[in-house]
Amino acid sequence: GSAAPISDDGYFLTADHVLVGVSDKNIFIIYANGGKITTSKARAVWRSAKDDLALLHIPMKTPYYYRWSSPSRRISQGLPVIHGGMATGTKSSTGILRTGLAAESWMTRSRFFKMDIRLEPGDSGGPIIDAYGNLIGINSAVEFLIPLETAIFIDSEGVRPNIRKINELIQVDRHSNPISNR
């Protein structure tokens, strides 16, 4: 699976289903830092099967990371987006959001949304970004209609967490694990 870096100090967000059946001792992240590729053992900070999200941390600086689109602004249906992931690699697909997302409040839970980009195995957990490079959400699932055993692509699904909650989880983890956050 894939993961999206969301801070400069090693925090990544991925789809929880990417980690199903994997021991927390066997999570690794391959991170491209400019022209240098590094592999690091990752620690699961938080996981939610219901939200299909997991927050991971690696003990290194990650200067290339995604910034969230504004949580206080509505994300409109029809917004052009690009997704990434291991299977997609350098041939990222473009598409549009099929469902909009209301502005976030303190009570907002993680929200699933649809897009018309076909995901491939390995893209789960990868970033979904807008035209400005801001992170909208994380790749989650693909929907197919299967009449007469012929798979017809319908939509892919992404998930957008409550960004304030994710930031709070990161702050708590930074304070409880100061050595591993350098």
Coordinates of all heavy atoms in Angstrom, one line a residue, residues 54-149:
A54 N -5.1 5.2 9.2 CA -4.0 4.9 10.1 C -3.0 6.0 10.1 O -2.6 6.5 9.0 CB -3.4 3.5 9.8
L55 N -2.5 6.4 11.2 CA -1.5 7.4 11.4 C -0.2 6.7 11.7 O -0.2 5.9 12.7 CB -1.9 8.5 12.4 CG -0.9 9.6 12.7 CD1 -0.7 10.5 11.4 CD2 -1.4 10.4 13.9
L56 N 0.8 6.9 11.0 CA 2.1 6.2 11.2 C 3.2 7.3 11.4 O 3.0 8.5 11.0 CB 2.5 5.4 9.9 CG 1.5 4.4 9.4 CD1 2.0 3.8 8.1 CD2 1.3 3.3 10.5
H57 N 4.3 6.9 12.1 CA 5.4 7.8 12.3 C 6.7 7.1 12.0 O 6.9 5.9 12.4 CB 5.4 8.3 13.7 CG 6.5 9.3 14.0 ND1 7.7 8.9 14.6 CD2 6.7 10.6 13.6 CE1 8.5 10.0 14.7 NE2 7.9 11.0 14.1
I58 N 7.6 7.8 11.4 CA 9.0 7.3 11.2 C 9.9 8.3 11.9 O 9.6 9.5 11.9 CB 9.4 7.1 9.7 CG1 9.3 8.4 8.9 CG2 8.6 6.0 9.1 CD1 9.8 8.3 7.5
P59 N 11.0 7.9 12.5 CA 11.9 8.7 13.2 C 12.9 9.5 12.3 O 14.1 9.3 12.4 CB 12.6 7.8 14.2 CG 12.7 6.5 13.4 CD 11.4 6.4 12.6
M60 N 12.4 10.3 11.4 CA 13.3 11.1 10.6 C 12.5 12.3 10.1 O 11.3 12.4 10.1 CB 13.8 10.3 9.4 CG 12.7 9.8 8.4 SD 13.3 8.7 7.1 CE 14.1 9.9 6.1
K61 N 13.3 13.3 9.6 CA 12.7 14.5 9.0 C 12.1 14.2 7.6 O 12.7 13.4 6.9 CB 13.8 15.6 8.9 CG 14.3 16.1 10.2 CD 13.2 16.8 10.9 CE 13.7 17.4 12.3 NZ 12.6 17.8 13.1
T62 N 11.0 14.7 7.3 CA 10.3 14.5 6.0 C 9.9 15.9 5.5 O 8.8 16.3 5.6 CB 9.0 13.6 6.2 OG1 8.3 14.2 7.3 CG2 9.4 12.2 6.5
P63 N 10.9 16.6 4.8 CA 10.7 17.9 4.4 C 9.7 18.0 3.2 O 9.1 19.1 3.0 CB 12.1 18.4 4.0 CG 12.9 17.2 3.7 CD 12.3 16.1 4.6
Y64 N 9.5 16.9 2.5 CA 8.5 16.9 1.4 C 7.3 16.2 1.9 O 7.2 15.0 2.1 CB 9.1 16.2 0.2 CG 10.3 16.8 -0.3 CD1 11.6 16.2 0.0 CD2 10.3 18.0 -1.1 CE1 12.8 16.8 -0.5 CE2 11.5 18.6 -1.5 CZ 12.7 18.0 -1.2 OH 13.8 18.6 -1.7
Y65 N 6.2 17.0 2.2 CA 5.0 16.5 2.8 C 3.8 17.3 2.2 O 4.0 18.4 1.7 CB 5.0 16.5 4.3 CG 5.1 17.9 4.9 CD1 3.9 18.5 5.3 CD2 6.3 18.6 5.1 CE1 3.9 19.8 5.9 CE2 6.3 19.8 5.6 CZ 5.1 20.5 6.0 OH 5.2 21.7 6.5
Y66 N 2.6 16.7 2.4 CA 1.4 17.4 1.9 C 0.8 18.3 3.0 O 0.8 17.9 4.1 CB 0.4 16.4 1.5 CG 0.8 15.6 0.3 CD1 1.3 14.3 0.4 CD2 0.6 16.1 -1.0 CE1 1.7 13.5 -0.7 CE2 1.0 15.3 -2.1 CZ 1.5 14.1 -2.0 OH 1.9 13.3 -3.0
R67 N 0.3 19.4 2.5 CA -0.5 20.3 3.4 C -1.9 20.1 3.1 O -2.3 19.9 1.9 CB 0.0 21.7 3.2 CG 1.4 22.0 3.8 CD 1.9 23.3 3.3 NE 3.2 23.6 3.9 CZ 4.4 23.1 3.5 NH1 4.4 22.3 2.4 NH2 5.5 23.4 4.0
W68 N -2.8 20.1 4.1 CA -4.2 19.9 3.9 C -4.9 21.1 3.2 O -4.5 22.2 3.5 CB -4.9 19.7 5.3 CG -4.5 18.4 5.9 CD1 -3.6 18.2 6.9 CD2 -5.1 17.1 5.5 NE1 -3.6 16.8 7.2 CE2 -4.5 16.1 6.4 CE3 -6.0 16.7 4.6 CZ2 -4.8 14.8 6.3 CZ3 -6.3 15.3 4.5 CH2 -5.7 14.4 5.4
S69 N -5.9 20.8 2.4 CA -6.7 21.9 1.9 C -7.5 22.4 3.2 O -7.6 21.7 4.2 CB -7.7 21.3 0.9 OG -8.5 20.3 1.4
S70 N -7.9 23.6 3.1 CA -8.5 24.3 4.3 C -9.7 23.5 4.8 O -10.7 23.2 4.1 CB -9.0 25.7 3.9 OG -9.6 26.3 5.0
P71 N -9.7 23.1 6.1 CA -10.8 22.4 6.7 C -12.0 23.3 6.9 O -13.1 22.9 7.0 CB -10.3 22.0 8.1 CG -9.1 22.8 8.4 CD -8.5 23.3 7.1
S72 N -11.8 24.6 6.9 CA -12.9 25.6 7.1 C -13.7 25.9 5.8 O -14.6 26.7 5.8 CB -12.4 26.8 7.8 OG -11.5 27.5 7.0
R73 N -13.2 25.4 4.7 CA -13.9 25.7 3.4 C -14.5 24.4 2.8 O -14.0 23.3 2.9 CB -12.8 26.2 2.4 CG -12.2 27.5 2.9 CD -11.3 28.1 1.9 NE -12.1 28.8 0.9 CZ -11.7 29.4 -0.2 NH1 -10.5 29.3 -0.5 NH2 -12.5 30.0 -0.9
R74 N -15.6 24.6 2.1 CA -16.3 23.5 1.5 C -15.4 23.0 0.3 O -14.8 23.8 -0.4 CB -17.6 24.0 0.9 CG -18.4 23.0 0.1 CD -19.8 23.5 -0.2 NE -20.4 22.6 -1.1 CZ -20.8 21.3 -0.9 NH1 -20.6 20.8 0.3 NH2 -21.4 20.6 -1.8
I75 N -15.5 21.7 0.0 CA -14.8 21.1 -1.1 C -15.9 20.7 -2.1 O -16.7 19.9 -1.8 CB -13.9 19.9 -0.7 CG1 -12.9 20.4 0.3 CG2 -13.3 19.3 -2.0 CD1 -12.1 19.2 0.9
S76 N -15.9 21.4 -3.2 CA -17.1 21.2 -4.1 C -17.0 20.0 -5.0 O -15.9 19.6 -5.4 CB -17.1 22.4 -5.1 OG -17.3 23.6 -4.3
Q77 N -18.2 19.4 -5.3 CA -18.3 18.4 -6.2 C -17.9 18.9 -7.6 O -18.1 20.1 -7.9 CB -19.8 18.0 -6.4 CG -20.1 16.9 -7.4 CD -21.6 16.6 -7.5 OE1 -22.4 17.1 -6.7 NE2 -21.9 15.8 -8.4
G78 N -17.1 18.1 -8.3 CA -16.6 18.5 -9.6 C -15.2 19.1 -9.5 O -14.6 19.4 -10.6
L79 N -14.6 19.2 -8.3 CA -13.3 19.7 -8.2 C -12.3 18.8 -8.8 O -12.3 17.6 -8.6 CB -12.9 19.8 -6.7 CG -11.5 20.3 -6.3 CD1 -11.4 21.8 -6.6 CD2 -11.2 19.9 -4.9
P80 N -11.4 19.3 -9.7 CA -10.4 18.5 -10.3 C -9.4 18.0 -9.3 O -9.0 18.7 -8.4 CB -9.7 19.4 -11.3 CG -10.6 20.5 -11.5 CD -11.4 20.7 -10.2
V81 N -9.1 16.7 -9.3 CA -8.2 16.1 -8.4 C -7.2 15.2 -9.1 O -7.5 14.7 -10.2 CB -8.9 15.3 -7.2 CG1 -9.7 16.2 -6.3 CG2 -9.8 14.2 -7.8
I82 N -6.1 14.9 -8.4 CA -5.1 13.9 -8.8 C -4.9 13.0 -7.7 O -4.9 13.4 -6.5 CB -3.8 14.6 -9.2 CG1 -4.0 15.7 -10.3 CG2 -2.7 13.6 -9.6 CD1 -2.8 16.6 -10.5
H83 N -4.6 11.7 -8.0 CA -4.3 10.8 -6.9 C -3.0 10.2 -7.2 O -2.5 10.1 -8.3 CB -5.4 9.7 -6.8 CG -5.2 8.5 -7.7 ND1 -4.6 7.4 -7.2 CD2 -5.5 8.3 -9.0 CE1 -4.6 6.5 -8.2 NE2 -5.1 7.1 -9.3
G84 N -2.4 9.7 -6.1 CA -1.1 9.0 -6.2 C -1.1 7.7 -5.4 O -2.0 7.4 -4.7
G85 N -0.1 6.9 -5.6 CA 0.0 5.6 -4.9 C 1.1 4.8 -5.6 O 1.7 5.1 -6.6
M86 N 1.5 3.7 -4.9 CA 2.5 2.8 -5.5 C 2.3 2.3 -6.8 O 3.1 2.3 -7.7 CB 2.8 1.7 -4.5 CG 3.5 2.1 -3.3 SD 3.9 0.7 -2.2 CE 4.6 -0.5 -3.2
A87 N 1.0 1.9 -7.1 CA 0.7 1.3 -8.4 C 0.7 2.4 -9.5 O 1.1 2.2 -10.6 CB -0.6 0.6 -8.4
T88 N 0.3 3.6 -9.1 CA 0.1 4.7 -10.0 C 1.5 5.3 -10.4 O 1.8 5.6 -11.5 CB -0.7 5.8 -9.4 OG1 -2.0 5.2 -9.1 CG2 -1.0 6.9 -10.4
G89 N 2.4 5.4 -9.4 CA 3.7 5.9 -9.6 C 3.7 7.2 -10.3 O 3.1 8.2 -9.9
T90 N 4.4 7.3 -11.4 CA 4.6 8.6 -12.2 C 3.4 8.8 -13.1 O 3.4 9.8 -13.8 CB 5.9 8.6 -12.9 OG1 5.9 7.5 -13.8 CG2 7.1 8.5 -12.0
K91 N 2.5 7.9 -13.2 CA 1.4 8.0 -14.2 C 0.1 8.3 -13.4 O -0.9 7.7 -13.6 CB 1.3 6.8 -15.1 CG 1.2 5.5 -14.3 CD 1.1 4.4 -15.3 CE 1.1 3.1 -14.6 NZ 0.9 2.1 -14.3
S92 N 0.2 9.3 -12.5 CA -1.0 9.7 -11.7 C -2.2 10.0 -12.6 O -2.0 10.7 -13.7 CB -0.7 10.8 -10.8 OG 0.2 10.5 -9.8
S93 N -3.4 9.6 -12.2 CA -4.6 9.9 -13.0 C -5.2 11.2 -12.5 O -5.1 11.5 -11.3 CB -5.6 8.8 -12.8 OG -5.0 7.6 -13.3
T94 N -5.9 11.9 -13.4 CA -6.7 13.1 -13.0 C -8.1 12.7 -13.1 O -8.5 11.8 -13.8 CB -6.3 14.3 -13.8 OG1 -6.7 14.0 -15.2 CG2 -4.9 14.7 -13.7
G95 N -8.9 13.4 -12.3 CA -10.4 13.2 -12.4 C -11.1 14.3 -11.6 O -10.5 15.4 -11.4
I96 N -12.3 14.0 -11.2 CA -13.1 15.0 -10.4 C -13.7 14.3 -9.2 O -13.9 13.1 -9.2 CB -14.2 15.7 -11.3 CG1 -15.2 14.6 -11.8 CG2 -13.6 16.5 -12.4 CD1 -16.4 15.2 -12.4
L97 N -14.0 15.1 -8.2 CA -14.8 14.6 -7.1 C -16.2 14.5 -7.5 O -16.8 15.3 -8.2 CB -14.7 15.6 -5.9 CG -13.4 15.7 -5.2 CD1 -13.6 16.7 -4.0 CD2 -12.9 14.4 -4.7
R98 N -16.8 13.3 -7.2 CA -18.2 13.1 -7.5 C -19.1 13.5 -6.4 O -20.3 13.7 -6.5 CB -18.4 11.6 -7.8 CG -17.7 11.2 -9.1 CD -18.7 10.4 -9.9 NE -18.0 9.6 -10.9 CZ -18.2 9.9 -12.2 NH1 -19.0 10.8 -12.6 NH2 -17.6 9.1 -13.1
T99 N -18.5 13.7 -5.2 CA -19.3 14.1 -4.0 C -18.5 15.3 -3.4 O -17.3 15.2 -3.3 CB -19.5 13.0 -3.0 OG1 -18.2 12.4 -2.7 CG2 -20.4 11.9 -3.5
G100 N -19.2 16.3 -3.0 CA -18.6 17.4 -2.3 C -18.5 17.1 -0.8 O -19.1 16.2 -0.3
L101 N -17.7 17.9 -0.1 CA -17.6 17.8 1.4 C -17.8 19.2 2.0 O -17.2 20.2 1.6 CB -16.1 17.4 1.7 CG -15.8 16.0 1.2 CD1 -14.2 15.8 1.3 CD2 -16.5 14.9 2.1
A102 N -18.7 19.2 3.0 CA -18.9 20.4 3.7 C -17.7 20.8 4.5 O -16.8 20.0 4.8 CB -20.1 20.2 4.7
A103 N -17.7 22.1 4.9 CA -16.6 22.6 5.8 C -16.6 21.7 7.1 O -17.6 21.2 7.5 CB -16.8 24.0 6.1
E104 N -15.4 21.6 7.7 CA -15.2 20.8 8.9 C -15.6 21.6 10.1 O -15.3 22.8 10.2 CB -13.8 20.4 8.9 CG -13.4 19.5 10.0 CD -11.9 19.1 9.9 OE1 -11.6 18.4 9.0 OE2 -11.2 19.4 10.8
S105 N -16.2 20.9 11.1 CA -16.4 21.5 12.4 C -15.7 20.6 13.4 O -15.2 19.6 13.1 CB -17.9 21.7 12.7 OG -18.4 20.4 13.0
W106 N -15.8 21.0 14.7 CA -15.2 20.2 15.7 C -15.8 18.8 15.8 O -15.2 17.8 16.2 CB -15.2 20.9 17.1 CG -14.2 22.0 17.2 CD1 -14.4 23.3 17.0 CD2 -12.8 21.8 17.4 NE1 -13.3 24.0 17.2 CE2 -12.2 23.1 17.4 CE3 -12.0 20.7 17.6 CZ2 -10.9 23.3 17.5 CZ3 -10.6 21.0 17.7 CH2 -10.1 22.3 17.7
M107 N -17.1 18.7 15.5 CA -17.8 17.5 15.6 C -17.8 16.6 14.3 O -18.3 15.5 14.3 CB -19.3 17.8 15.9 CG -19.5 18.6 17.2 SD -18.9 17.7 18.6 CE -20.0 16.4 18.8
T108 N -17.2 17.1 13.3 CA -17.1 16.4 12.0 C -16.3 15.1 12.2 O -15.2 15.1 12.7 CB -16.5 17.2 10.9 OG1 -17.2 18.4 10.8 CG2 -16.5 16.5 9.6
R109 N -16.8 14.0 11.7 CA -16.1 12.7 11.7 C -15.4 12.6 10.4 O -15.5 13.4 9.5 CB -17.1 11.6 11.8 CG -17.8 11.6 13.2 CD -18.6 10.3 13.2 NE -19.1 9.7 14.5 CZ -18.4 9.5 15.6 NH1 -17.2 9.9 15.7 NH2 -18.9 9.0 16.6
S110 N -14.6 11.5 10.2 CA -14.0 11.2 8.9 C -15.1 11.0 7.9 O -16.2 10.5 8.3 CB -13.2 10.0 9.0 OG -12.1 10.2 9.9
R111 N -14.9 11.5 6.7 CA -15.9 11.4 5.7 C -15.4 10.7 4.4 O -14.3 11.0 4.0 CB -16.4 12.8 5.3 CG -17.0 13.5 6.6 CD -17.2 15.0 6.4 NE -15.9 15.6 6.5 CZ -15.6 16.8 6.1 NH1 -16.6 17.5 5.5 NH2 -14.5 17.4 6.2
F112 N -16.2 9.8 3.9 CA -15.9 9.2 2.7 C -16.5 10.0 1.5 O -17.5 10.6 1.6 CB -16.5 7.7 2.7 CG -15.7 6.8 3.6 CD1 -16.2 6.7 4.9 CD2 -14.6 6.1 3.2 CE1 -15.5 5.9 5.8 CE2 -13.9 5.3 4.1 CZ -14.4 5.2 5.4
F113 N -15.8 10.0 0.4 CA -16.2 10.7 -0.8 C -15.9 9.9 -2.0 O -15.1 9.0 -2.0 CB -15.6 12.1 -0.9 CG -14.1 12.1 -0.9 CD1 -13.4 12.1 -2.1 CD2 -13.4 12.2 0.3 CE1 -12.0 12.1 -2.1 CE2 -12.0 12.2 0.3 CZ -11.3 12.2 -0.9
K114 N -16.5 10.2 -3.1 CA -16.3 9.5 -4.4 C -15.5 10.3 -5.4 O -15.6 11.6 -5.4 CB -17.7 9.1 -5.0 CG -18.6 8.4 -4.1 CD -18.4 7.0 -4.1 CE -19.5 6.3 -3.3 NZ -19.2 5.0 -2.8
M115 N -14.8 9.7 -6.2 CA -14.1 10.3 -7.3 C -14.1 9.4 -8.5 O -14.3 8.2 -8.4 CB -12.7 10.7 -6.9 CG -11.8 9.6 -6.6 SD -10.2 10.1 -6.0 CE -9.6 8.6 -5.3
D116 N -13.9 10.0 -9.7 CA -14.0 9.1 -10.9 C -12.7 8.6 -11.4 O -12.5 8.3 -12.6 CB -14.7 9.9 -12.0 CG -13.9 11.1 -12.6 OD1 -12.9 11.4 -12.0 OD2 -14.3 11.6 -13.6
I117 N -11.7 8.5 -10.5 CA -10.4 8.0 -10.8 C -10.3 6.5 -10.4 O -10.6 6.2 -9.3 CB -9.3 8.8 -10.1 CG1 -9.3 10.3 -10.4 CG2 -7.9 8.2 -10.5 CD1 -8.4 11.1 -9.6
R118 N -9.9 5.7 -11.3 CA -9.8 4.2 -11.0 C -8.5 4.0 -10.3 O -7.4 4.3 -10.7 CB -9.8 3.5 -12.3 CG -9.8 2.0 -12.1 CD -9.8 1.3 -13.5 NE -9.9 -0.1 -13.3 CZ -10.5 -0.9 -14.1 NH1 -11.1 -0.5 -15.2 NH2 -10.6 -2.2 -13.9
L119 N -8.6 3.4 -9.1 CA -7.5 3.0 -8.3 C -7.0 1.6 -8.7 O -7.8 0.8 -9.1 CB -7.8 3.0 -6.8 CG -8.3 4.3 -6.2 CD1 -8.7 4.2 -4.8 CD2 -7.3 5.4 -6.4
E120 N -5.7 1.4 -8.5 CA -5.1 0.0 -8.7 C -4.7 -0.5 -7.4 O -4.4 0.2 -6.4 CB -3.9 0.2 -9.7 CG -4.3 0.8 -11.0 CD -5.1 -0.1 -11.9 OE1 -5.1 -1.4 -11.7 OE2 -5.8 0.4 -12.7
P121 N -4.5 -1.8 -7.3 CA -4.0 -2.4 -6.0 C -2.6 -1.8 -5.7 O -1.8 -1.6 -6.6 CB -3.8 -3.9 -6.4 CG -4.8 -4.2 -7.4 CD -4.8 -2.9 -8.2
G122 N -2.4 -1.3 -4.5 CA -1.2 -0.6 -4.1 C -1.4 0.9 -4.0 O -0.6 1.6 -3.3
D123 N -2.5 1.4 -4.6 CA -2.8 2.9 -4.5 C -3.5 3.2 -3.1 O -3.5 4.3 -2.7 CB -3.7 3.3 -5.6 CG -3.0 3.4 -6.9 OD1 -1.7 3.6 -6.9 OD2 -3.7 3.4 -8.0
S124 N -4.1 2.2 -2.5 CA -4.7 2.4 -1.2 C -3.8 3.1 -0.2 O -2.6 2.7 -0.1 CB -5.2 1.1 -0.6 OG -6.2 0.6 -1.3
G125 N -4.3 4.2 0.4 CA -3.5 4.9 1.4 C -2.7 6.1 0.8 O -2.2 6.9 1.5
G126 N -2.7 6.2 -0.6 CA -2.0 7.3 -1.2 C -2.8 8.6 -1.2 O -4.0 8.6 -0.8
P127 N -2.2 9.7 -1.6 CA -2.8 11.0 -1.5 C -3.8 11.3 -2.6 O -3.6 10.8 -3.7 CB -1.6 11.9 -1.6 CG -0.6 11.2 -2.5 CD -0.8 9.7 -2.1
I128 N -4.8 12.1 -2.3 CA -5.7 12.7 -3.3 C -5.5 14.2 -3.1 O -5.8 14.7 -2.0 CB -7.2 12.3 -3.0 CG1 -7.3 10.7 -3.1 CG2 -8.1 12.9 -4.1 CD1 -8.6 10.2 -2.5
I129 N -5.1 14.8 -4.1 CA -4.7 16.2 -4.0 C -5.5 17.1 -5.0 O -6.0 16.6 -6.1 CB -3.2 16.5 -4.2 CG1 -2.7 16.0 -5.5 CG2 -2.4 15.9 -3.1 CD1 -1.3 16.4 -5.8
D130 N -5.7 18.4 -4.7 CA -6.3 19.3 -5.6 C -5.3 19.9 -6.6 O -4.1 19.6 -6.5 CB -7.1 20.4 -4.9 CG -6.3 21.3 -4.0 OD1 -5.0 21.4 -4.2 OD2 -6.8 22.0 -3.1
A131 N -5.7 20.8 -7.4 CA -4.8 21.4 -8.4 C -3.7 22.3 -7.8 O -2.8 22.6 -8.5 CB -5.7 22.3 -9.4
Y132 N -3.9 22.6 -6.6 CA -2.9 23.4 -5.9 C -1.9 22.6 -5.1 O -1.0 23.1 -4.4 CB -3.5 24.5 -5.0 CG -4.4 25.4 -5.7 CD1 -5.8 25.2 -5.7 CD2 -3.9 26.4 -6.5 CE1 -6.7 26.0 -6.4 CE2 -4.8 27.3 -7.3 CZ -6.1 27.1 -7.2 OH -7.0 27.9 -7.9
G133 N -2.0 21.3 -5.1 CA -1.2 20.4 -4.4 C -1.6 20.2 -2.9 O -0.8 19.6 -2.2
N134 N -2.8 20.6 -2.6 CA -3.3 20.5 -1.2 C -3.9 19.1 -1.1 O -4.6 18.7 -2.0 CB -4.3 21.6 -0.9 CG -3.6 22.9 -0.8 OD1 -2.6 23.1 -0.3 ND2 -4.3 23.9 -1.5
L135 N -3.7 18.5 0.1 CA -4.2 17.1 0.3 C -5.7 17.2 0.6 O -6.2 18.0 1.5 CB -3.5 16.5 1.5 CG -3.8 15.1 1.8 CD1 -3.4 14.2 0.7 CD2 -3.0 14.7 3.1
I136 N -6.5 16.5 -0.1 CA -8.0 16.4 0.1 C -8.3 15.2 0.9 O -9.1 15.3 1.8 CB -8.7 16.2 -1.3 CG1 -8.4 17.4 -2.2 CG2 -10.2 16.0 -1.1 CD1 -9.1 18.7 -1.8
G137 N -7.7 14.1 0.7 CA -7.9 12.9 1.4 C -7.0 11.7 1.0 O -6.0 12.0 0.4
I138 N -7.4 10.5 1.4 CA -6.6 9.3 1.2 C -7.3 8.3 0.4 O -8.5 8.1 0.6 CB -6.2 8.7 2.6 CG1 -5.4 9.7 3.5 CG2 -5.4 7.4 2.5 CD1 -4.1 10.2 2.9
N139 N -6.7 7.7 -0.6 CA -7.3 6.6 -1.4 C -7.8 5.5 -0.5 O -7.0 5.1 0.4 CB -6.3 6.0 -2.4 CG -5.9 7.0 -3.5 OD1 -6.7 7.8 -3.9 ND2 -4.7 6.8 -3.9
S140 N -9.0 5.0 -0.7 CA -9.6 4.0 0.1 C -10.0 2.8 -0.6 O -9.6 1.7 -0.3 CB -10.7 4.6 0.9 OG -11.2 3.6 1.9
A141 N -10.9 2.9 -1.6 CA -11.5 1.7 -2.2 C -12.0 2.0 -3.6 O -12.1 3.1 -4.0 CB -12.7 1.2 -1.4
V142 N -12.2 0.9 -4.4 CA -12.7 1.0 -5.8 C -14.1 0.3 -5.8 O -14.3 -0.7 -5.2 CB -11.8 0.4 -6.8 CG1 -12.3 0.5 -8.2 CG2 -10.4 1.0 -6.7
E143 N -15.0 0.9 -6.5 CA -16.4 0.3 -6.7 C -16.5 -0.2 -8.1 O -16.2 0.6 -9.1 CB -17.5 1.3 -6.4 CG -17.5 1.7 -4.9 CD -18.7 2.6 -4.6 OE1 -19.5 2.9 -5.5 OE2 -18.7 3.0 -3.5
F144 N -17.0 -1.4 -8.3 CA -17.2 -2.0 -9.6 C -18.7 -2.4 -9.6 O -19.2 -2.9 -8.6 CB -16.3 -3.2 -9.9 CG -14.9 -2.8 -10.1 CD1 -14.0 -2.9 -9.1 CD2 -14.5 -2.3 -11.4 CE1 -12.6 -2.6 -9.3 CE2 -13.1 -2.0 -11.6 CZ -12.2 -2.1 -10.6
L145 N -19.3 -2.3 -10.8 CA -20.6 -3.0 -11.1 C -20.2 -4.2 -11.8 O -19.5 -4.2 -12.8 CB -21.4 -2.0 -11.9 CG -22.8 -2.6 -12.3 CD1 -23.7 -2.8 -11.1 CD2 -23.5 -1.6 -13.3
I146 N -20.7 -5.4 -11.4 CA -20.3 -6.7 -12.0 C -21.5 -7.4 -12.5 O -22.0 -8.4 -11.9 CB -19.5 -7.5 -11.0 CG1 -18.4 -6.7 -10.4 CG2 -19.0 -8.8 -11.6 CD1 -17.5 -7.4 -9.4
P147 N -22.1 -7.0 -13.7 CA -23.2 -7.7 -14.3 C -22.6 -8.8 -15.2 O -21.6 -8.5 -15.9 CB -23.9 -6.7 -15.1 CG -22.9 -5.7 -15.4 CD -21.9 -5.7 -14.3
L148 N -23.1 -10.0 -15.1 CA -22.6 -11.1 -16.0 C -21.1 -11.3 -15.9 O -20.5 -11.6 -16.9 CB -23.1 -10.8 -17.4 CG -24.6 -10.6 -17.6 CD1 -24.9 -10.2 -19.1 CD2 -25.4 -11.9 -17.2
E149 N -20.6 -11.1 -14.8 CA -19.1 -11.3 -14.5 C -18.2 -10.4 -15.3 O -17.1 -10.7 -15.6 CB -18.8 -12.8 -14.7 CG -19.5 -13.7 -13.7 CD -19.1 -15.1 -13.8 OE1 -17.9 -15.4 -14.1 OE2 -20.0 -15.9 -13.6

